[in-house]
């Protein structure tokens, strides 16, 4: 099983971390907006992963069985605006001031991190993603 631990919930993005062989790979997602398709990160929980490929997103992984959602992919991206409800990995992350005119967070070297993450997922007998939170969100 692959675990994504979310540790920062901002107004424009969510940042998390995978641990692969003891090394961190970070993630960027859209903010939590009540699981709104194409706009929100997905709820915490456990989800099967399957290989997915399309002309726009060749050779990526799909997060399956998310209630009320389809086509949630793990693919390259650096900002939350690059993912429409999907997850983008990166080797490092940056959290900017909340009043920034751009998205508040980003990840770097997404394609390189994606390769390592995808090799790990492919090695799993039954690829599953578990999403947990390391912090409480405001208002809950």
């Amino acid at each position: 099983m692959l675990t994504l631990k979310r540790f920062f919930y901002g107004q424009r993005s969510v940042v998390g971390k995978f641990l692969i062989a003891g090394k961190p790979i970070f993630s960027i997602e859209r903010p939590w907006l009540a699981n709104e398709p194409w706009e929100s990160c997905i709820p915490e929980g456990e989800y099967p992963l399957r290989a997915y490929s399309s002309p726009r997103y060749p050779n990526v992984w799909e997060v399956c069985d998310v209630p009320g959602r389809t086509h949630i992919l793990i693919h390259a991206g650096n900002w939350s605006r690059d993912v429409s409800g999907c997850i983008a990995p990166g080797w490092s992350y940056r959290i900017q001031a909340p009043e920034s005119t751009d998205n508040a967070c980003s990840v770097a070297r997404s394609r390189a991190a994606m390769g390592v993450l995808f090799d790990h997922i492919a090695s799993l007998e039954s690829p599953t993603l578990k999403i947990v939170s390391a912090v409480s969100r405001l208002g809950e």
Side-chain angles (χ1 to χ4, degrees):
M1 180 177 308
L2 176 67
T3 300
L4 172 58
K5 187 177 281 190
R6 293 173 175 157
F7 62 87
F8 177 83
Y9 289 86
Q11 291 182 346
R12 297 183 190 108
S13 47
V14 172
V15 180
K17 177 173 68 173
F18 301 99
L19 278 180
I20 308 297
K23 296 182 181 178
I25 293 179
F26 298 96
S27 66
I28 190 82
E29 301 174 79
R30 291 270 177 111
W32 175 250
L33 298 170
N35 199 33
E36 182 69 28
W38 311 108
E39 299 296 327
S40 176
C41 62
I42 62 175
E44 295 168 13
E46 291 185 24
Y47 305 101
L49 298 172
R50 75 170 178 204
Y52 176 90
S53 196
S54 71
R56 184 172 179 188
Y57 295 106
N59 306 312
V60 298
W61 287 90
E62 181 178 17
V63 183
C64 301
D65 300 340
V66 177
R69 302 278 296 273
T70 61
H71 297 92
I72 296 126
L73 306 178
I74 302 173
H75 65 79
N78 298 103
W79 302 89
S80 63
R81 67 175 176 251
D82 296 334
V83 291
S84 297
C86 299
I87 302 167
W91 278 122
S92 61
Y93 71 94
R94 181 174 63 176
I95 297 175
Q96 296 174 310
E99 64 274 4
S100 170
T101 58
D102 204 344
N103 289 334
C105 306
S106 64
V107 294
R109 299 184 56 221
S110 186
R111 290 193 189 282
M114 193 172 76
V116 172
L117 181 63
F118 285 8
D119 286 347
H120 176 75
I121 294 170
S123 76
L124 299 174
E125 186 174 319
S126 213
T128 303
L129 174 63
K130 180 178 182 179
I131 300 175
V132 298
S133 179
V135 297
S136 296
R137 292 183 292 238
L138 294 174
E140 292 187 0

